[in-house]
């Protein structure tokens, strides 16, 4: 499946934002004294045009950055990963090639095309957008989505949807699945999902998406092709089915999930998407654990258990600046055995309220690509 855009702001919003910015620069220019330049008399001049040029250049830079995000997202281990995640505000991560989304804090447009949605827990910044996600799919005449929830909240989620059905007088068609620990759901014939235990302030669970592969059984490895074909034609099962963990998503959790032996598959998936809400000494580990979150220092402490090719950190607290995150990540990188560490976050930036940061740490270098994005809400 082709990757969908990270954000899709309506053209009217873009025009409105652009007009507002140009108007602001025009006002600033009007307040500045502009020397007369009639006949090219050598004065500084061009004050208004200079300000407008800068505004237009900034706008063009923004458009290029936004287009880059729309085309690529974050490519890790052959997967495009797209999303928004800020602690307490909103989390939604998608893997379009798997047709899945994890959590749905505010129902972003880029998640609508994913047929399968996995909810980790019932905090609003992770489930608040569920009715809008379902309704938008109905608006676009997409098939009803399949939404997975922890069994303990299944009835409450159904009741919530019933309230919205009564209020809005629409159907909100959905297949709601209570997927329990130890259960497996087949997404397609080569892909299954299983939940795993996480440790948040309220009941929660993560999910691992597995690819299904078939491998010739050892007892037939010495046979020739013609012999194997005869066995297959006789109805003999000649292969073993093997599950390979591809992508794991924790949602909110404290570090106990790392030490839980039942979670080994999450720690060896190609891509692990997990949280790092707190980064520095101003918020200690005990505070993080009390609120069901992880401190970056705990990832350092338990780094020997991670066998993932790529780790995607999300859910940073909004209290941290970009520089805070840069410094914290640079301390973490040497501790991890994983090939890459990718960071997804959203931060405030002047007029725009969103910053999408892709930080890929490979070997001993740190590469930061910073792209400003307009959000669809204030």
């Amino acid at each position: 499946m082709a990757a969908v855009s990270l954000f899709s702001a309506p053209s009217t919003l873009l025009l409105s934002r652009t007009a507002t910015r140009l108007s602001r620069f025009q006002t600033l220019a009007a307040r500045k004294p502009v020397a007369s330049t009639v006949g090219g008399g050598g004065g500084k001049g061009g004050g208004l045009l200079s300000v407008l040029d800068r505004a237009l250049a900034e706008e063009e830079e923004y458009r290029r950055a936004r287009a880059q995000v729309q085309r690529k997202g974050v490519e890790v281990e052959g997967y495009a990963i797209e999303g928004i995640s800020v602690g307490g505000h909103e989390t939604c991560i998608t893997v379009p090639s798997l047709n899945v989304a994890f959590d749905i804090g505010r129902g972003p447009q880029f998640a609508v095309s994913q047929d399968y949605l996995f909810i980790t827990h019932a905090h609003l910044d992770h489930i608040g957008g569920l009715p809008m996600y379902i309704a938008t799919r109905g608006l676009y005449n997409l098939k009803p989505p399949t939404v997975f929830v922890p069994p303990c909240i299944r009835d409450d989620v159904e009741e919530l949807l019933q309230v919205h059905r009564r209020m809005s007088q629409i159907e909100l068609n959905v297949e709601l699945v209570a997927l329990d620990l130890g259960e497996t759901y087949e997404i397609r014939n080569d892909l299954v999902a299983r939940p795993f235990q996480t440790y948040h302030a309220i009941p929660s669970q993560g999910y691992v998406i597995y690819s299904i592969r078939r491998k010739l059984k050892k007892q037939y490895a010495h046979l020739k092709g013609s012999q194997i074909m005869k066995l297959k034609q006789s109805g003999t099962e000649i292969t073993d089915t093997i599950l390979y963990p591809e992508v794991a998503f924790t949602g909110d959790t404290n570090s106990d999930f790392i030490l839980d032996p039942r979670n080994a598959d999450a720690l060896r998936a190609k891509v692990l998407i997990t949280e790092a809400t707190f980064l520095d000494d101003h918020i200690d580990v005990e505070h993080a654990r009390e609120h069901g979150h992880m401190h970056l220092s705990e990832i350092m402490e338990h780094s020997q258990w991670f066998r993932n090719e790529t780790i995607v950190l999300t859910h940073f607290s909004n209290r941290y600046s970009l520089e805070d995150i840069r410094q914290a990540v640079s301390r973490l990188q040497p501790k991890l055995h994983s090939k890459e560490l990718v960071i997804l976050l959203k931060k405030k930036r002047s007029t725009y309220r969103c910053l999408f940061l892709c930080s890929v740490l490979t070997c001993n270098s740190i590469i930061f690509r910073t792209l400003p994005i307009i959000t669809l809400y204030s």
Side-chain angles (χ1 to χ4, degrees):
M1 176 179 291
V4 296
S5 62
L6 181 65
F7 291 90
S8 53
S11 58
T12 53
L13 175 61
L14 287 173
L15 289 173
S16 173
R17 295 275 187 169
T18 305
T20 300
R21 296 175 75 188
L22 289 176
S23 175
R24 178 163 55 87
F25 281 117
Q26 288 168 342
T27 301
L28 287 173
R31 292 175 181 171
K32 289 185 177 181
V34 180
S36 174
T37 58
V38 178
K44 291 183 179 180
L48 175 59
L49 292 178
S50 176
V51 171
L52 288 176
D53 285 344
R54 289 198 299 273
L56 291 172
E58 183 180 346
E59 186 66 27
E60 180 60 27
E61 181 182 358
Y62 157 74
R63 290 178 183 276
R64 285 197 301 268
R66 188 173 187 273
Q68 180 75 4
V69 173
Q70 285 182 322
R71 285 196 302 270
K72 298 178 68 174
V74 180
E75 293 282 347
V76 290
E77 304 306 322
Y79 292 108
I81 297 178
E82 308 170 39
I84 301 173
S85 187
V86 181
H89 290 261
E90 175 182 8
T91 289
C92 181
I93 306 294
T94 67
V95 187
S97 63
L98 301 179
N99 201 16
V100 303
F102 298 104
D103 287 340
I104 191 89
R106 300 193 186 191
Q109 186 69 25
F110 64 85
V112 171
S113 61
Q114 310 309 312
D115 292 341
Y116 298 93
L117 172 62
F118 295 85
I119 300 295
T120 60
H121 66 288
H123 280 153
L124 284 179
D125 58 321
H126 292 258
I127 199 174
L130 178 59
M132 190 63 187
Y133 161 77
I134 299 170
T136 305
R137 286 183 62 89
L139 181 66
Y140 293 161
N141 293 318
L142 298 172
K143 72 176 185 179
T146 302
V147 177
F148 303 90
V149 298
C152 61
I153 67 170
R154 197 265 179 207
D155 291 344
D156 290 335
V157 172
E158 179 58 41
E159 184 178 348
L160 171 68
L161 295 177
Q162 286 288 63
V163 169
H164 282 280
R165 290 181 182 114
R166 290 196 298 269
M167 290 192 302
S168 58
Q169 298 182 24
I170 58 176
E171 293 183 348
L172 292 180
N173 293 320
V174 60
E175 180 185 0
L176 192 60
V177 178
L179 193 61
D180 205 353
L181 299 177
E183 296 180 339
T184 301
Y185 187 95
E186 184 177 295
I187 296 175
R188 61 188 196 214
N189 60 8
D190 64 343
L191 213 62
V192 299
R194 287 178 177 172
F196 63 92
Q197 183 68 60
T198 56
Y199 299 85
H200 192 37
I202 62 174
S204 63
Q205 62 188 38
Y207 299 92
V208 179
I209 309 297
Y210 297 83
S211 62
I212 302 173
R213 306 179 197 177
R214 298 191 180 279
K215 186 177 181 180
L216 186 66
K217 290 184 176 181
K218 289 182 179 180
Q219 62 263 40
Y220 304 130
H222 66 285
L223 298 179
K224 296 179 180 179
S226 58
Q227 294 173 304
I228 292 173
M229 181 61 69
K230 286 182 180 180
L231 284 173
K232 186 175 181 180
Q233 290 173 346
S234 69
T236 302
E237 182 58 61
I238 62 173
T239 59
D240 290 319
T241 299
I242 302 175
L243 299 183
Y244 289 86
E246 299 289 336
V247 176
F249 179 80
T250 67
D252 291 0
T253 182
N254 69 30
S255 61
D256 287 349
F257 98 91
I258 302 171
L259 302 178
D260 189 329
R262 297 169 296 177
N263 294 345
D265 283 352
L267 299 178
R268 68 184 185 92
K270 281 185 183 177
V271 180
L272 170 64
I273 306 168
T274 190
E275 69 135 280
T277 304
F278 302 111
L279 303 177
D280 56 23
D281 294 337
H282 296 293
I283 302 294
D284 60 19
V285 170
E286 190 57 39
H287 176 93
R289 292 184 59 81
E290 181 182 345
H291 291 83
H293 292 296
M294 278 203 293
H295 195 287
L296 193 65
S297 64
E298 295 179 281
I299 297 177
M300 297 182 190
E301 179 184 352
H302 301 304
S303 61
Q304 72 272 22
W305 301 112
F306 294 99
R307 292 295 179 264
N308 315 94
E309 294 296 318
T310 297
I311 298 173
V312 180
L313 296 182
T314 67
H315 206 266
F316 295 98
S317 169
N318 206 39
R319 73 186 68 217
Y320 298 117
S321 69
L322 179 57
E323 186 56 33
D324 292 334
I325 296 167
R326 287 178 187 269
Q327 293 179 5
V329 169
S330 66
R331 293 194 299 271
L332 172 62
Q333 191 272 335
K335 299 282 186 178
L336 290 174
H337 300 289
S338 303
K339 280 185 179 180
E340 292 185 324
L341 177 68
V342 179
I343 299 174
L344 303 184
L345 71 155
K346 185 182 70 172
K347 297 294 289 180
K348 296 179 182 178
R349 182 183 179 187
S350 63
T351 305
Y352 305 105
R353 291 184 54 80
C354 181
L355 187 71
F356 180 77
L357 171 68
C358 316
S359 304
V360 183
L361 281 74
T362 307
C363 301
N364 294 319
S365 63
I366 304 177
I367 306 168
F368 286 94
R369 298 188 299 252
T370 305
L371 303 174
I373 304 299
I374 292 179
T375 58
L376 302 183
Y377 52 88
S378 59

